[in-house]
Amino acid sequence: MTAVALGLPRVRPTGAPSTLGRPDTEALVDRYGRVAHDLRVSVTEKCSLRCTYCMPAEGLPAIPREDLLTPAEIGRLVGIGYRAGIRDVRFTGGEPLMRPDLAEIVRRTRAAAPGVRISMTTNAIGLDKRVDELVDAGLDRVNVSLDSIDRRHFAELTRRDRLPQVLAGIQGALGAGLSPVKLNAVLMPETLAGAADLLAWAVEHGCRLRFIEQMPLDADQNWDRDQLVSAERLLDVLGARFDLTPVGREDPSAPAEEWAVDGGPATVGIIASVTRSFCGDCDRTRLTAEGTVRSCLFGNEEVDLRALLRTEGHDDAATDAAIVAAWQGAMWAKPFAHGLDRGAPDTGAIGGPADDPEAFARTERSMGAIGG
Ligand code: SF4
């Protein structure tokens, strides 16, 4: 496994996390009583863009093909997660469309977990050409990353002049009946000026736009709390052009707070990860492309499930029970918020002291190596 220049995450030997005090339940519960229902699966570190708030200009070091989970392994893990209560599976990356076998991954996921909602976070480049095979395989919905509809500005932010392909991908998703098509825009000083235009475009095209407060997950580690554009600031800017009425969250664990735009039905969402943390209701668990469990986006403790999967066919082959036990152990140890535990010693948290709700653990992987 190769890691970005940020160093290697501490991968614990399989099944080592303490489960002291854990209730006897199949569910992926943590010490704060939160239960995971939403599984995010990163399937690659590769991407067709180089967004400045995510990837280094040269991209992330390649993960050797043999270290990536195969479609069969992803199917098996999703099946195990499904029996432990997972009801949403979201494929992320890097960029999932960079996997030529993505339709096979979706097909095996649908077969292993018939009742789950399958979605994907994508930059939509090339989606118009592959959406039919992905929908046939079982894809239900997409979140498309789009920070600007100004072509020059888009090229600056992503270091690639590919806005027309992104818009074609969004049209492809709408045309294939994927609904709702959600748009994710990272809120930064650079994108604030274009936020109202982006919202107008989303409303006009029937997409649901959500702005995300920028988190310290950039590979170049340039995140600066003082540069943060807060949800409040954005509401001021949008409120100058639109009539916004708060309508709350879709459900308590949904990261986005929603506002009706000009009386609705269109809405706009804000994922205020920094200034309005929603960790207390977090129901997410993550698998990296290499098959380790990350209990939290900012948690640096990872548990290796791939090693267990690859004992298949050996005398000591790991059973599904052994794999779910390792996964349960990883989730039981989940930190409270932003990768930090309440009252944890000040281990060099970013953005404030460790017990500050707006502080973050310094993660050893960047967003491109975790997935949203
Ligand atoms: S930072 Fe961690 S605990 Fe908080 S919402 Fe994200 S994944 Fe959940």
Side-chain angles (χ1 to χ4, degrees):
M1 171 162 67
T2 53
V4 293
L6 300 177
L8 277 176
R10 286 185 296 281
V11 176
R12 285 178 180 234
T14 311
S18 158
T19 55
L20 196 61
R22 186 181 178 281
D24 179 17
T25 171
E26 194 68 14
L28 300 171
V29 64
D30 69 35
R31 291 162 296 153
Y32 301 97
R34 300 167 296 187
V35 176
H37 301 296
D38 186 349
L39 169 61
R40 308 292 170 93
V41 185
S42 173
V43 293
T44 180
E45 81 296 348
K46 293 183 173 49
C47 190
S48 42
L49 295 176
R50 292 288 181 273
C51 301
T52 53
Y53 54 81
C54 176
M55 286 261 179
E58 69 279 8
L60 293 174
I63 300 173
R65 192 176 174 75
E66 63 277 12
D67 288 356
L68 286 174
L69 289 181
T70 65
E73 289 170 334
I74 293 172
R76 183 174 173 196
L77 287 178
V78 168
I80 290 169
Y82 182 54
R83 293 187 290 280
I86 293 295
R87 291 297 172 264
D88 279 280
V89 175
R90 170 99 54 89
F91 293 110
T92 69
E95 169 51 49
L97 290 168
M98 300 295 280
R99 287 274 306 236
D101 54 359
L102 183 61
E104 179 62 15
I105 291 172
V106 173
R107 194 171 297 112
R108 287 184 179 263
T109 296
R110 179 57 70 207
V116 297
R117 286 176 294 272
I118 303 177
S119 62
M120 172 171 78
T121 299
T122 173
N123 63 33
I125 292 173
L127 180 58
D128 47 320
K129 299 180 184 61
R130 297 177 63 186
V131 67
D132 293 339
E133 66 164 346
L134 293 171
V135 170
D136 290 349
L139 184 69
D140 296 308
R141 197 177 59 63
V142 291
N143 282 41
V144 176
S145 307
L146 181 65
D147 303 313
S148 173
I149 43 144
D150 175 275
R151 184 165 179 170
R152 184 188 52 74
H153 196 204
F154 178 95
E156 274 169 25
L157 287 168
T158 63
R159 300 183 181 111
R160 298 285 184 278
D161 180 16
R162 307 197 75 179
L163 180 60
Q165 290 96 326
V166 173
L167 300 181
I170 293 171
Q171 286 309 327
L174 292 165
L178 289 177
S179 177
V181 170
K182 295 185 178 180
L183 305 180
N184 291 355
V186 176
L187 194 48
M188 302 177 288
E190 298 92 315
T191 58
L192 187 58
D197 289 345
L198 183 58
L199 178 53
W201 188 93
V203 171
E204 185 194 334
H205 290 80
C207 298
R208 280 181 51 191
L209 176 60
R210 298 103 57 77
F211 290 94
I212 306 171
E213 285 182 344
Q214 191 186 4
M215 295 177 279
L217 284 166
D218 57 311
D220 300 328
Q221 297 202 330
N222 293 329
W223 185 82
D224 177 353
R225 176 67 183 78
D226 299 335
Q227 293 298 311
L228 181 82
V229 178
S230 68
E232 292 319 308
R233 181 84 187 84
L234 175 68
L235 287 168
D236 290 346
V237 169
L238 295 180
R241 181 150 153 201
F242 304 95
D243 172 28
L244 301 178
T245 317
V247 292
R249 293 178 197 274
E250 273 178 313
D251 68 67
S253 67
E257 292 172 75
E258 308 271 350
W259 282 258
V261 179
D262 295 340
T267 62
V268 60
I270 303 180
I271 299 176
S273 333
V274 180
T275 60
R276 298 180 181 191
S277 169
F278 39 82
C279 296
D281 295 308
C282 180
D283 71 342
R284 284 168 291 285
T285 181
R286 289 180 163 79
L287 287 172
T288 65
E290 304 102 315
T292 59
V293 175
R294 286 177 73 86
S295 63
C296 166
L297 193 55
F298 290 88
N300 284 318
E301 301 288 324
E302 297 186 7
V303 170
D304 187 352
L305 299 186
R306 186 192 64 203
L308 290 171
L309 287 168
R310 294 190 175 176
T311 58
E312 199 162 359
H314 300 186
D315 297 349
D316 59 349
T319 62
D320 286 5
I323 293 172
V324 79
W327 200 339
Q328 289 161 341
M331 294 311 294
W332 182 245
K334 178 171 181 158
F336 180 69
H338 298 160
L340 301 166
D341 265 318
R342 283 179 184 155
D346 189 349
T347 52
I350 309 172
D355 53 8
D356 174 336
E358 295 192 9
F360 291 81
R362 186 178 293 285
T363 175
E364 294 171 358
R365 282 181 187 253
S366 68
M367 178 59 103
I370 305 170

